[in-house]
Amino acid sequence: DIQMTQSPSSLSASVGDRVTITCRASQGIRSSLAWYQQKPGKPPRLLIYAATTLQSGVPSRFRGSGSGTDFTLTITSLQPEDLATYYCQKYDSLPPTFGQGTKVEIK
Amino acid sequence: EGQLLESGGEVVQPGASLRLSCAASGFGFSYYAMSWVRQAPGKGLEWVSGISADGTRARHIDSVEGRFTVTRDNSANVLSLQMNSLRVEDTAVYYCAKDYGDYAGHDASDIWGQGTVVIVSS
């Protein structure tokens, strides 16, 4: 199975900061990658699919980039409501594996 | 806006069986693949099972193969997960999720339920 490795596992940043989370696949997955946001006690919420496409209703400060094996989720200006854990997921082939998550905290 | 509502989670002993259900509303259920994703306490997300839009193709991860069965009733807009021979390590919140496409596990999931809790403990 293809493994997904996210980094960092956690980060702390100030409101207004630019935040970058990376996700690396153990093999190429083209652009078959999604990013999810999960707030405590809530289900995941789809932010980005096809590596770069913003899901309807998601603020434009969330941006996805990359293809092949290396992907990035960028929050261009961190907001207090962005406190959450972020997961990448590859879906080019079964099983659709998730990364281990990145917990974002607000300073 | 589509909605998913899971039910059926409870506390059971190892070796027991349980059936989870997920009622869908607000979207064309029969057109989309569906998935079950679980999250063990304090852990990350794990895709468990998926089924194609027409219900003819179902897949599971290796650790539940032969114990879990995913099915769907497109006439009733219900997704199910039959879980047999439950193990302590199956303890988790189980989410049902709608996939963007019609082939299980080959697309992002854009609608998620609130989850149902399964605890396997002696």
Side-chain angles (χ1 to χ4, degrees):
Chain A
D1 293 352
I2 297 174
Q3 305 302 313
M4 305 301 292
T5 303
Q6 276 183 244
S7 62
S9 57
S10 66
L11 65 91
S12 182
S14 300
V15 172
D17 282 356
R18 184 181 186 92
V19 169
T20 299
I21 299 169
T22 64
C23 183
R24 175 165 290 176
S26 58
Q27 299 175 38
I29 59 170
R30 304 182 301 276
S31 295
S32 300
L33 187 103
W35 289 97
Y36 299 89
Q37 176 193 63
Q38 186 178 32
K39 296 183 177 182
K42 298 294 186 181
R45 172 197 184 195
L46 178 64
L47 299 176
I48 303 280
Y49 62 95
T52 61
T53 304
L54 193 68
Q55 171 70 351
S56 176
V58 174
S60 60
R61 64 180 180 274
F62 292 95
R63 295 181 185 172
S65 64
S67 68
T69 59
D70 294 306
F71 302 86
T72 300
L73 173 69
T74 300
I75 307 173
T76 58
S77 178
L78 190 68
Q79 299 301 304
E81 60 267 31
D82 299 336
L83 166 71
T85 300
Y86 294 83
Y87 295 92
C88 63
Q89 180 201 33
K90 69 93 178 170
Y91 52 84
D92 67 308
S93 61
L94 291 172
T97 315
F98 291 89
Q100 77 275 24
T102 296
K103 187 174 184 178
V104 174
E105 298 176 329
I106 311 296
K107 282 183 183 175
Chain B
E1 182 72 24
Q3 289 191 329
L4 298 170
L5 182 63
E6 303 95 336
S7 61
E10 63 178 87
V11 180
V12 295
Q13 293 190 335
S17 296
L18 205 55
R19 187 175 184 88
L20 306 183
S21 295
C22 172
S25 61
F27 66 94
F29 181 74
S30 63
Y31 293 103
Y32 300 98
M34 298 292 295
S35 293
W36 286 99
V37 176
R38 68 184 178 185
Q39 187 167 36
K43 302 298 184 181
L45 301 169
E46 180 181 43
W47 184 89
V48 174
S49 303
I51 188 166
S52 59
D54 62 5
T56 60
R57 291 163 293 180
R59 295 292 297 272
H60 305 82
I61 54 173
D62 289 347
S63 61
V64 308
E65 188 70 59
R67 300 189 299 123
F68 290 13
T69 303
V70 59
T71 57
R72 65 190 296 162
D73 182 346
N74 284 347
S75 66
N77 292 350
V78 173
L79 174 73
S80 299
L81 185 67
Q82 178 66 40
M83 309 163 68
N84 298 331
S85 302
L86 281 162
R87 304 170 180 170
V88 171
E89 56 265 34
D90 295 319
T91 294
V93 177
Y94 284 74
Y95 296 102
C96 71
K98 167 192 168 291
D99 289 359
Y100 251 127
D102 61 357
Y103 187 29
H106 281 71
D107 225 320
S109 297
D110 62 331
I111 300 175
W112 294 67
Q114 291 298 309
T116 188
V117 178
V118 173
I119 298 175
V120 185
S121 174
S122 54

